[in-house]
Amino acid sequence: LDESHYHDEL
Amino acid sequence: MNIFRLAGDMTHLVSVLVLLLKIHTIKSCAGISLKTQELYALVFTTRYLDLFTDYISLYNTVMKLIFLGSSFSIVWYIRRHKIVRRSYDKDQDTFRHYFIVLPCLVLALLIHHKFTFKEVMWTFSLYLEAVAILPQLVLLQRTRNIDNLTGQYVFLLGAYRALYILNWIYRHYTEPHYVHWITWIAGIVQTLLYADFFYYYFQSWKNNVKLQLPA
């Protein structure tokens, strides 16, 4: 998946 | 950060603090499912594995520590506290953990964004959180008596995820490639699970009667 797949949510 | 997500996090924070405060002040966990609380501790543990590796913001780190600390404190109170544990109704709170944990683990191994340990654990925590409330809802159906704080606790827990859905819609339209369909599906399933509880909660609130769930 593209790198925008970040876990910035709780 | 958008208003929906902040409201969601605050609602979630209040829900766990309301529960912790209730248990701490009246020294009772009547009506609370230990199973659900243990599942939430597992949700936070598997979701926040990146707590010490990826720093996102002070807010993010502080909130993770609060959620981890409060969920483990609640489990400790119900399991270990000499007074609180006496009010735990273990004969009624019989939901089997593995009926929930195993399917979520298998599903996370099958459906995930990336097959890495952290990513599978994170996906597992999403699926687990969606169904972790089930033991609590089963217990409420069985004991049928819902004291105000427990009703508020479950209501706030459902409301937080509903606010997160608004947050995902907002981010989908404001951020390019913001694609998290696994999160969205798990979040929608979770909120739907609360739907019938919401219905009875509003009925009791509107008619100003004690909250009763049908058997």
Side-chain angles (χ1 to χ4, degrees):
Chain A
L1 204 94
D2 60 336
E3 277 324 300
S4 78
H5 183 68
Y6 44 79
H7 302 318
D8 67 341
E9 294 180 349
L10 290 171
Chain B
M1 172 62 79
N2 59 66
I3 186 64
F4 302 113
R5 193 167 125 212
L6 184 62
D9 288 343
M10 290 306 110
T11 306
H12 193 193
L13 180 66
V14 168
S15 72
V16 291
L17 294 185
V18 155
L19 184 61
L20 193 52
L21 206 64
K22 161 186 171 174
I23 294 174
H24 177 74
T25 40
I26 65 175
K27 294 289 181 284
S28 161
C29 64
I32 299 298
S33 162
L34 171 63
K35 306 284 181 169
T36 284
Q37 297 310 317
E38 289 168 338
L39 290 174
Y40 279 130
L42 185 58
V43 166
F44 292 130
T45 307
T46 50
R47 185 168 308 174
Y48 300 152
L49 292 174
D50 61 351
L51 179 62
F52 300 112
T53 54
D54 310 341
Y55 177 81
I56 291 169
S57 71
L58 182 64
Y59 170 83
N60 190 276
T61 303
V62 167
M63 290 296 277
K64 284 176 177 176
L65 290 170
I66 292 173
F67 285 137
L68 281 166
S70 54
S71 61
F72 278 98
S73 308
I74 289 167
V75 170
W76 177 84
Y77 263 109
I78 300 178
R79 276 186 168 278
R80 292 277 184 278
H81 190 283
K82 59 188 180 308
I83 303 174
V84 174
R85 63 190 293 185
R86 286 208 295 262
S87 57
Y88 172 52
D89 190 351
K90 63 179 178 299
D91 305 327
Q92 296 265 31
D93 189 22
T94 56
F95 206 104
R96 297 262 180 281
H97 278 315
Y98 46 80
F99 280 170
I100 287 185
V101 171
L102 289 183
C104 291
L105 193 55
V106 168
L107 198 60
L109 287 167
L110 294 175
I111 305 175
H112 43 262
H113 286 303
K114 278 183 292 183
F115 193 69
T116 62
F117 175 71
K118 269 174 52 173
E119 190 66 26
V120 169
M121 282 292 103
W122 180 80
T123 312
F124 165 70
S125 81
L126 273 181
Y127 297 150
L128 185 61
E129 187 190 2
V131 290
I133 194 66
L134 280 172
Q136 180 63 64
L137 294 180
V138 165
L139 185 66
L140 289 180
Q141 302 266 359
R142 281 189 187 156
T143 54
R144 290 176 63 74
N145 75 321
I146 302 175
D147 69 71
N148 265 345
L149 277 169
T150 307
Q152 280 159 7
Y153 167 68
V154 177
F155 172 76
L156 288 168
L157 217 45
Y160 123 77
R161 213 61 182 164
L163 286 164
Y164 251 73
I165 291 176
L166 297 181
N167 153 62
W168 293 324
I169 294 170
Y170 177 86
R171 292 189 74 175
H172 178 66
Y173 286 112
T174 53
E175 295 172 33
H177 349 287
Y178 183 72
V179 178
H180 287 255
W181 53 273
I182 289 182
T183 312
W184 298 342
I185 292 172
I188 289 167
V189 165
Q190 180 171 339
T191 307
L192 289 177
L193 271 179
Y194 286 81
D196 69 322
F197 177 83
F198 278 139
Y199 172 74
Y200 293 111
Y201 192 81
F202 278 123
Q203 291 301 316
S204 77
W205 175 70
K206 194 173 64 175
N207 311 326
N208 198 17
V209 295
K210 188 167 164 44
L211 178 55
Q212 291 285 330
L213 291 179

